[in-house]
Amino acid sequence: MNIKQAKEQIQNAMKAYFSKDAFGNYQIPIERQRPIFMMGPPGIGKTAIMEQVASELGVGLVSYSMTHHTRQSALGLPYIEKKTYGGVEYSVSEYTMSEIIASVYDMMERTGVKEGILFLDEINCVSETLAPAMLQFLQYKIFGRHRVPNGWIVVTAGNPPEYNNSVREFDIVTWDRLKRIDVEPDYDAWKEYAYKKGIHAAILTYLDIKKTDFYKIETTVDGKTFVTARGWSDLSDMMKLYEQHHLPVDEKLVAQYLQNKKIAKEFSIYYDLFNKYRSDYQVDKIMAGSAAVAIKDRAKVARFDERLALLGLLLDGITEQLRAVCLTEKGLTELLGALRIVKAELKTAGAEGSASLHKQISELQKRLETGRLASTLSQDDAYALQSAIATMDNMLSEQRVHQPADGQASFALIKASFDKLTQALSKQAEETGKQLSNVFRFCEEVFGDGQELLILVTELTISYYGAHFISRYGCKEYFNHNKELLFYERQKEIIAKIEKFDL
């Protein structure tokens, strides 16, 4: 299965394992909860999906790479304990708590999160001295004499033997106690993740043309060459920073991440061409609806690979705007929840606006810190909390400057600031909607009813920010070319019930 399907399987298993009966007991006791074992080649995103699962389920995540552990660090260190049996005192070997088990308890103590995932990577590559204890752990969830706490699910991952010479084959007894998921690289599944992460448009358009270059591991006379999903993702991050600092993105840089000379060279050549298209086509003018006739004429006669590059540039440009609206909205949603509590407190006699704001800022900061420690926050969730905190800090400053006479006056000041933010969001969404319409009109004019428009609609549909924006604010041009889905029409009733930003 691909990485997206694997994520769904893991989420479903987590929901089942976390299910409790009427008395609060886990319906599948921890000793009968089979650890999940993800088997797949390196660099396809096994660790990344565990972070996503923990974030989406709101549970903690403790991760370890087992190749870094010795028998002592996994099991704990021995010490001598005096015990009496039948009236005779004996010296008995005991073990301190395993570093791995202790880290779970430490997470629970620091964050208050009582349920979570213990993720052990490269589980089938442990040292020879640790292997027997590892097999015992997979069967009984015990390191030494210490068990994984109730409420913590064990998920493991490993590579097939053809990718790692250190792999140890499990016996049937061990496999029969695991929930095995085999994961294969799949570009189309990864692309959905790539849109949300903001993978560089040059990478996505290149891989749309050459999907076989997405994941490749080969053995040649010069040794192993490889390109992985992790490599593309890390390269994207570095390319953006290099562009930001006006540093050259060349074959020397690309080859550090794509360790296949042929693919690194071809992508480097494509990137130079992509940059030329970025300069020539002036995407900002297309989005503003003021594309020159010469640009339209060039697009009409361009080859298909150039058209794909242009679509990538347009999607990259508009997605940045869609994402900005979605993040602003998410930040205001967090802010709204906090300000409703402030409003309720300010109705109490003697309540003071600055104190209430201080209290809510502290609560949001605590959520942010706890979420980061427990890995329960996505990047967007963290941004929303930070945005809400920053806005409330500004509101706090206004309270100090104006010094309102009572709670009612304090809230009036807060509401005026909040109303300005919601109006700014409405304007931002309106402007972004116009830009999206301009992209469609440009494509309609230069491509007609060709497959380029189908590609545009499809990419917006699978894009997290595209789908969210269109379902919330609409886009008639999108619906004109996507009458079969009409997901917006089906969601009208739901959207109508969504509470407006109204204090």
Side-chain angles (χ1 to χ4, degrees), residues 374-388:
S375 299
T376 56
L377 284 181
S378 69
Q379 188 175 357
D380 287 1
D381 291 335
Y383 176 90
L385 286 171
Q386 289 175 303
S387 174

Side-chain angles (χ1 to χ4, degrees), residues 108-175:
M108 295 167 68
E109 287 292 320
R110 293 171 67 189
T111 67
V113 174
K114 300 303 181 186
E115 294 182 325
I117 300 166
L118 173 58
F119 178 58
L120 304 179
D121 199 5
E122 298 179 317
I123 197 79
N124 56 348
C125 298
V126 296
S127 65
E128 186 175 351
T129 56
L130 183 54
M134 202 69 252
L135 296 180
Q136 180 197 38
F137 174 78
L138 292 175
Q139 293 178 30
Y140 304 110
K141 304 182 186 68
I142 294 174
F143 273 132
R145 296 187 61 181
H146 303 281
R147 183 185 295 274
V148 175
N150 287 339
W152 282 75
I153 311 303
V154 177
V155 180
T156 65
N159 305 135
E162 60 266 31
Y163 297 103
N164 195 324
N165 294 331
S166 303
V167 165
R168 295 178 176 277
E169 184 59 47
F170 292 159
D171 55 31
I172 294 176
V173 173
T174 303
W175 279 126

Side-chain angles (χ1 to χ4, degrees), residues 353-369:
S354 294
S356 294
L357 285 170
H358 259 305
K359 182 180 176 182
Q360 289 309 307
I361 289 171
S362 296
E363 288 296 320
L364 292 183
Q365 288 173 331
K366 183 179 178 181
R367 278 180 56 198
L368 181 62
E369 182 180 357

Side-chain angles (χ1 to χ4, degrees), residues 394-466:
N394 291 335
M395 290 178 172
L396 194 57
S397 297
E398 288 185 344
Q399 295 282 317
R400 291 170 182 153
V401 170
H402 295 283
Q403 296 184 343
D406 53 26
Q408 185 176 358
S410 287
F411 184 73
L413 199 60
I414 291 169
K415 187 176 185 304
S417 296
F418 186 80
D419 288 345
K420 288 179 182 177
L421 293 172
T422 57
Q423 290 165 11
L425 171 62
S426 296
K427 186 175 180 181
Q428 182 185 10
E430 183 182 354
E431 288 300 314
T432 300
K434 289 178 181 177
Q435 290 177 322
L436 182 58
S437 294
N438 288 335
V439 168
F440 268 100
R441 292 190 189 108
F442 174 85
C443 291
E444 287 168 349
E445 184 175 346
V446 301
F447 301 135
D449 291 326
Q451 57 184 320
E452 291 83 4
L453 273 165
L454 176 61
I455 292 171
L456 178 62
V457 168
T458 302
E459 300 300 296
L460 285 169
T461 303
I462 68 172
S463 164
Y464 172 83
Y465 300 111

Side-chain angles (χ1 to χ4, degrees), residues 281-292 295 438:
Y281 277 106
Q282 302 174 4
V283 170
D284 55 336
K285 291 187 177 179
I286 294 175
M287 290 170 56
S290 58
I295 288 177
N438 288 335

Side-chain angles (χ1 to χ4, degrees), residues 12 38 41 51 78 123 143 157 160 178 198 207 245 271 273 297 340 347 385 391 441 446:
N12 292 342
M38 280 190 291
E51 295 170 352
I123 197 79
F143 273 132
L178 298 175
L207 292 176
H245 293 284
Y271 175 76
L273 186 61
D297 289 343
R340 280 184 172 150
K347 287 182 177 179
L385 286 171
T391 302
R441 292 190 189 108
V446 301

Side-chain angles (χ1 to χ4, degrees), residues 89-103:
E89 186 179 80
Y90 296 90
S91 296
V92 180
S93 295
E94 294 280 1
Y95 282 86
T96 59
M97 183 179 284
S98 157
E99 176 189 328
I100 297 172
I101 301 296
S103 66

Side-chain angles (χ1 to χ4, degrees), residues 165-422:
N165 294 331
S166 303
V167 165
R168 295 178 176 277
E169 184 59 47
F170 292 159
D171 55 31
I172 294 176
V173 173
T174 303
W175 279 126
D176 196 36
R177 286 171 168 80
L178 298 175
K179 184 177 169 64
R180 175 169 171 166
I181 297 175
D182 289 288
V183 190
E184 296 293 336
D186 184 309
Y187 171 65
D188 291 328
W190 179 80
K191 191 173 181 179
E192 292 185 38
Y193 154 83
Y195 269 125
K196 190 167 184 181
K197 188 179 184 296
I199 295 295
H200 198 289
I203 291 176
L204 290 177
T205 53
Y206 174 82
L207 292 176
D208 280 336
I209 299 168
K210 295 192 173 186
K211 291 185 179 181
T212 55
D213 287 354
F214 168 62
Y215 194 98
K216 187 172 289 188
I217 296 180
E218 297 176 331
T219 301
T220 68
V221 291
D222 298 320
K224 287 189 180 295
T225 68
F226 57 91
V227 176
T228 67
R230 183 193 295 128
W232 287 112
S233 181
D234 291 347
L235 174 60
S236 171
D237 292 339
M238 191 57 74
M239 286 170 62
K240 289 187 174 184
L241 289 172
Y242 268 46
E243 290 176 348
Q244 181 180 322
H245 293 284
H246 306 290
L247 299 171
V249 176
D250 53 21
E251 189 176 346
K252 295 184 183 69
L253 173 68
V254 173
Q256 295 166 27
Y257 295 88
L258 310 182
Q259 299 190 38
N260 178 300
K261 290 182 180 179
K262 181 174 180 291
I263 294 175
K265 185 177 185 64
E266 289 182 354
F267 176 71
S268 299
I269 293 170
Y270 176 81
Y271 175 76
D272 291 339
L273 186 61
F274 181 86
N275 272 337
K276 185 177 185 304
Y277 294 152
R278 179 154 53 184
S279 173
D280 292 351
Y281 277 106
Q282 302 174 4
V283 170
D284 55 336
K285 291 187 177 179
I286 294 175
M287 290 170 56
S290 58
V293 174
I295 288 177
K296 295 178 182 178
D297 289 343
R298 174 173 173 174
K300 288 177 182 178
V301 298
R303 294 185 309 174
F304 184 65
D305 58 344
E306 183 174 333
R307 291 184 176 200
L308 275 182
L310 173 56
L311 282 173
L313 287 165
L314 291 171
L315 283 162
D316 185 56
I318 196 62
T319 299
E320 277 299 305
Q321 303 305 314
L322 300 173
R323 179 176 181 271
V325 172
C326 293
L327 289 181
T328 301
E329 183 183 292
K330 200 173 183 70
L332 283 179
T333 301
E334 285 289 353
L335 180 63
L336 180 63
L339 293 184
R340 280 184 172 150
I341 298 173
V342 171
K343 178 182 180 181
E345 289 180 349
L346 291 180
K347 287 182 177 179
T348 306
E352 199 263 329
S354 294
S356 294
L357 285 170
H358 259 305
K359 182 180 176 182
Q360 289 309 307
I361 289 171
S362 296
E363 288 296 320
L364 292 183
Q365 288 173 331
K366 183 179 178 181
R367 278 180 56 198
L368 181 62
E369 182 180 357
T370 300
R372 282 173 168 167
L373 285 171
S375 299
T376 56
L377 284 181
S378 69
Q379 188 175 357
D380 287 1
D381 291 335
Y383 176 90
L385 286 171
Q386 289 175 303
S387 174
I389 290 168
T391 302
M392 292 179 76
D393 275 332
N394 291 335
M395 290 178 172
L396 194 57
S397 297
E398 288 185 344
Q399 295 282 317
R400 291 170 182 153
V401 170
H402 295 283
Q403 296 184 343
D406 53 26
Q408 185 176 358
S410 287
F411 184 73
L413 199 60
I414 291 169
K415 187 176 185 304
S417 296
F418 186 80
D419 288 345
K420 288 179 182 177
L421 293 172
T422 57

